[in-house]
C-alpha cells in the first residue's frame, strides 16, 4: 500500500504555498449557520505520533525529490521529470508527492496546521508537533494555524506564548462579526467579548494575527449594526491583518434553509460594498492591513494599510457607488467572469462593449442575470 499524508479540505488562500499538516480532523464546533465545510463530519484529535508520521513522510518525499533532482542535474530544483520518476516508484501516493513537490517549488518556507481549530489540542501535544516540524524542516520560516476566538480566550497567555516560542508564528481567526445578536443568530458559538479576549491574548503572546470579517452576514436586517460593531471589535483587537470574506449563502448550509424560509434576506452586491465602506469608516486608532484577497469580494482593490490608506479605500468604494447602474452591473459581470480586477479596467473600450452586450441580452429579465451571477459565485466556493 502506498504511503500517504492525511490532508484536510481547506486552508486560507494566503497559505496556498504552505505545506499542509493535519493536526486535527474537522471542526470541534461545526454549527455556524453560514458554513457547510465540515457538515456530517465528526471532530477528532489526531495523536502526536500520527502527526509526526506525516511530517516524516513529507521529509522523505522532499529528500527523494532533491536526490532525484541532483541525479538529473537540476541541482535540487523540482521538475516534472523528477515528480514523474518519484510517482513511478510507487512508494507514496500521487497527492502526497504533488503536495510536497508544490511546496518545495514555492520555496518550502511555510507550514499550515489543519483543520479548523488546531489550538484546541493540549498545549503540550501541540508544542511537540510544532517542535517536530521545526526540527525536521529547519529552513521553515513560518508555521500557521486556524484558531477559534473562544479557544484562544480559554488558553492563558503563558500557554499561547509557549506555542509561539516553539515556532507557531501566525494565527488565522474567524471573527465574521462583532455584533452579538447576529453572532447568536448565526450560531457562531462565540461572542464579541470572546473575539476581543482571544485576539488580545494572541497578540500579547507574540503572534501575527490575521482575522476574517464577513461582509453581508447581517443581511438586510443588521447590515449597519454588523459593520459598526465589527469595526468596534477590530479596533479593540488591533490585528495585523483583516481579511474580507464576502458572504455567499451555500446550498446545504443552515443559512440557506433560513434564506429559503424568509428568516434571512441577503444583501445585494452593491449594498455589501456600501457595508464595507461603513466598516472601514469606523476603523480608528489601529495599524492593520485590510486585504480583499478572495474571489467573492467584488472590489479586490480595497486593499491597503491603515491608517494611511483609509481615504483611498473609501474613495474606491465611493467611486464604484457613484457609477451609473449600468456601469456597476457591467463591472460585476466582468469581475465574475474573471476579466476585471480593478475599476480602471472599465476604461478598456472593446471589453466594456462586449460585456455591455452580454448585459443587454438580459434587459428583459434582469432577475435571470442575477441568478447567473449567483451561480458563478456558488461555483467559486
Amino acid at each position: 500500500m502506498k504511503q500517504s499524508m492525511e490532508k484536510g479540505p481547506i486552508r486560507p488562500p494566503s497559505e496556498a504555498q504552505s505545506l499542509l499538516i493535519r493536526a486535527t480532523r474537522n471542526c470541534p464546533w461545526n454549527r455556524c449557520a453560514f458554513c457547510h465545510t465540515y457538515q456530517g463530519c465528526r471532530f477528532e484529535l489526531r495523536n502526536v505520533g500520527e502527526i509526526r508520521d506525516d511530517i516524516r513522510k513529507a521529509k522523505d518525499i522532499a529528500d527523494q525529490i532533491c536526490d532525484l533532482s541532483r541525479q538529473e542535474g537540476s541541482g535540487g530544483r523540482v521538475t516534472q521529470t523528477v515528480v514523474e520518476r518519484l510517482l513511478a516508484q510507487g512508494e507514496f501516493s500521487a497527492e502526497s508527492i504533488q503536495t510536497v513537490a508544490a511546496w518545495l517549488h514555492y520555496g518550502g518556507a511555510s507550514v499550515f496546521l489543519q483543520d479548523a481549530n488546531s489550538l484546541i489540542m493540549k498545549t503540550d501535544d501541540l508544542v511537540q508537533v510544532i517542535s517536530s516540524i521545526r526540527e525536521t524542516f529547519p529552513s521553515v520560516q513560518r508555521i500557521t494555524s486556524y484558531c477559534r476566538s473562544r479557544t484562544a480566550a480559554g488558553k492563558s497567555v503563558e500557554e499561547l506564548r509557549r506555542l509561539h516560542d516553539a515556532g507557531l508564528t501566525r494565527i488565522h481567526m474567524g471573527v465574521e462579526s462583532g455584533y452579538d445578536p447576529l453572532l447568536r443568530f448565526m450560531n457562531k458559538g462565540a461572542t464579541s467579548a470572546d473575539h476581543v479576549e482571544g485576539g488580545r491574548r494572541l497578540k500579547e503572546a507574540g503572534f501575527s494575527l490575521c482575522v476574517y470579517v464577513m461582509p453581508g452576514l447581517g443581511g438586510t436586517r443588521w447590515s449597519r449594526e454588523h459593520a459598526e460593531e465589527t469595526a468596534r471589535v477590530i479596533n479593540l483587537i488591533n490585528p495585523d491583518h483583516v481579511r474580507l470574506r464576502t458572504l455567499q449563502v451555500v446550498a446545504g448550509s443552515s443559512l440557506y434553509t433560513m434564506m429559503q424560509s424568509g428568516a434571512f434576506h441577503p444583501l445585494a452586491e452593491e449594498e455589501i460594498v456600501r457595508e464595507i465602506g461603513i466598516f472601514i469608516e469606523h476603523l480608528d486608532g489601529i495599524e492593520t492591513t485590510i486585504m480583499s484577497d478572495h474571489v467573492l469580494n467584488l472590489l479586490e482593490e480595497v486593499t491597503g494599510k491603515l491608517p494611511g490608506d483609509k481615504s483611498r479605500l473609501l474613495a474606491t468604494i465611493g467611486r464604484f457607488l457613484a457609477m451609473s447602474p449600468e456601469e456597476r452591473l457591467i463591472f460585476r459581470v466582468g469581475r465574475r467572469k474573471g476579466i476585471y480586477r480593478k475599476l480602471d479596467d472599465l476604461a478598456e473600450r472593446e471589453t466594456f462593449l462586449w460585456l455591455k452586450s452580454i448585459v443587454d441580452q438580459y434587459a428583459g429579465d434582469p432577475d435571470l442575470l442575477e441568478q447567473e451571477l449567483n451561480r458563478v459565485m456558488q461555483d467559486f466556493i
Side-chain angles (χ1 to χ4, degrees):
M1 183 179 294
K2 294 181 181 180
Q3 298 186 63
S4 63
M5 300 160 55
E6 192 167 324
K7 187 177 178 181
I10 62 170
R11 46 96 182 133
S14 60
E15 302 295 342
Q17 297 179 4
S18 296
L19 177 66
L20 305 180
I21 298 294
R22 197 175 200 184
T24 62
R25 297 184 181 102
N26 309 312
C27 176
W29 177 248
N30 202 18
R31 302 173 201 170
C32 296
F34 53 82
C35 182
H36 74 302
T37 303
Y38 301 103
Q39 276 192 357
C41 299
R42 183 165 60 93
F43 175 75
E44 293 178 326
L45 293 166
R46 298 187 75 197
N47 67 56
V48 174
E50 280 184 278
I51 304 167
R52 279 179 161 170
D53 193 44
D54 276 355
I55 297 168
R56 177 194 59 78
K57 290 172 187 173
K59 173 64 171 171
D60 288 348
I61 294 170
D63 287 346
Q64 291 189 44
I65 287 174
C66 291
D67 289 344
L68 289 169
S69 176
R70 293 189 186 97
Q71 290 173 23
E72 72 165 22
S74 296
R77 290 181 294 105
V78 180
T79 67
Q80 185 63 36
T81 303
V82 165
V83 172
E84 288 173 356
R85 286 179 64 188
L86 190 53
L87 287 168
Q89 291 179 11
E91 182 181 357
F92 297 98
S93 70
E95 183 179 39
S96 295
I97 292 172
Q98 289 160 358
T99 294
V100 176
W103 177 60
L104 292 175
H105 172 74
Y106 289 114
S110 60
V111 175
F112 178 74
L113 299 176
Q114 296 178 300
D115 278 340
N117 189 23
S118 299
L119 268 70
I120 201 170
M121 292 176 66
K122 291 180 180 179
T123 300
D124 287 345
D125 289 348
L126 189 51
V127 165
Q128 288 186 62
V129 170
I130 297 164
S131 299
S132 181
I133 294 170
R134 288 291 184 188
E135 292 163 5
T136 305
F137 298 106
S139 62
V140 163
Q141 300 169 17
R142 191 183 76 189
I143 302 176
T144 68
S145 176
Y146 278 132
C147 178
R148 296 188 72 236
S149 62
R150 194 164 187 175
T151 299
K155 285 187 182 284
S156 68
V157 174
E158 290 71 24
E159 284 182 286
L160 295 171
R161 191 171 287 127
R162 283 186 61 205
L163 295 172
H164 180 265
D165 291 348
L168 186 63
T169 52
R170 174 176 290 177
I171 296 298
H172 298 268
M173 188 175 83
V175 165
E176 274 66 77
S177 178
Y179 187 50
D180 282 316
L182 177 56
L183 290 170
R184 288 193 294 271
F185 182 78
M186 292 294 169
N187 202 16
K188 174 66 179 172
T191 65
S192 61
D194 291 328
H195 291 338
V196 173
E197 185 62 27
R200 283 179 163 177
R201 291 190 184 198
L202 289 165
K203 289 285 289 180
E204 186 178 346
F207 287 102
S208 169
L209 179 60
C210 175
V211 302
Y212 294 79
V213 167
M214 191 171 285
L217 190 64
T220 58
R221 180 181 181 186
W222 285 319
S223 178
R224 178 167 286 275
E225 294 89 342
H226 170 47
E228 292 180 356
E229 286 298 294
T230 303
R232 178 187 66 83
V233 165
I234 298 303
N235 289 337
L236 291 171
I237 297 173
N238 193 15
D240 298 276
H241 297 85
V242 177
R243 283 188 153 89
L244 305 177
R245 293 291 182 266
T246 298
L247 172 71
Q248 178 65 26
V249 184
V250 180
S253 66
S254 299
L255 188 57
Y256 183 84
T257 302
M258 289 192 282
M259 184 178 71
Q260 295 295 97
S261 70
F264 178 79
H265 298 279
L267 287 175
E269 274 206 285
E270 295 175 9
E271 292 306 310
I272 291 176
V273 171
R274 195 181 308 276
E275 179 184 282
I276 293 171
I278 296 170
F279 167 68
I280 293 175
E281 187 177 355
H282 283 78
L283 293 175
D284 189 39
I286 60 173
E287 294 184 2
T288 192
T289 300
I290 303 291
M291 303 292 294
S292 188
D293 56 342
H294 196 279
V295 69
L296 287 175
N297 298 333
L298 182 61
L299 298 183
E300 183 180 354
E301 58 193 307
V302 178
T303 293
K305 176 81 173 177
L306 298 186
D309 290 333
K310 183 174 180 177
S311 296
R312 177 180 62 80
L313 301 184
L314 292 175
T316 298
I317 290 169
R319 178 184 170 190
F320 173 78
L321 295 174
M323 293 190 310
S324 70
E326 181 183 57
E327 287 176 319
R328 293 198 299 266
L329 185 55
I330 289 171
F331 181 81
R332 289 176 58 208
V333 172
R335 172 67 172 153
R336 299 312 171 203
K337 283 184 169 291
I339 298 169
Y340 285 164
R341 298 191 66 178
K342 56 186 185 299
L343 294 178
D344 283 348
D345 292 340
L346 286 162
E348 206 289 300
R349 196 63 183 166
E350 186 175 342
T351 303
F352 179 89
L353 292 174
W354 174 65
L355 291 170
K356 183 179 182 301
S357 70
I358 294 174
V359 169
D360 289 343
Q361 293 174 24
Y362 292 88
D365 193 354
D367 288 345
L368 182 58
L369 178 56
E370 290 296 334
Q371 292 171 22
E372 287 296 317
L373 291 174
N374 184 69
R375 182 188 59 76
V376 171
M377 293 175 71
Q378 289 280 349
D379 290 343
F380 290 154
I381 301 297

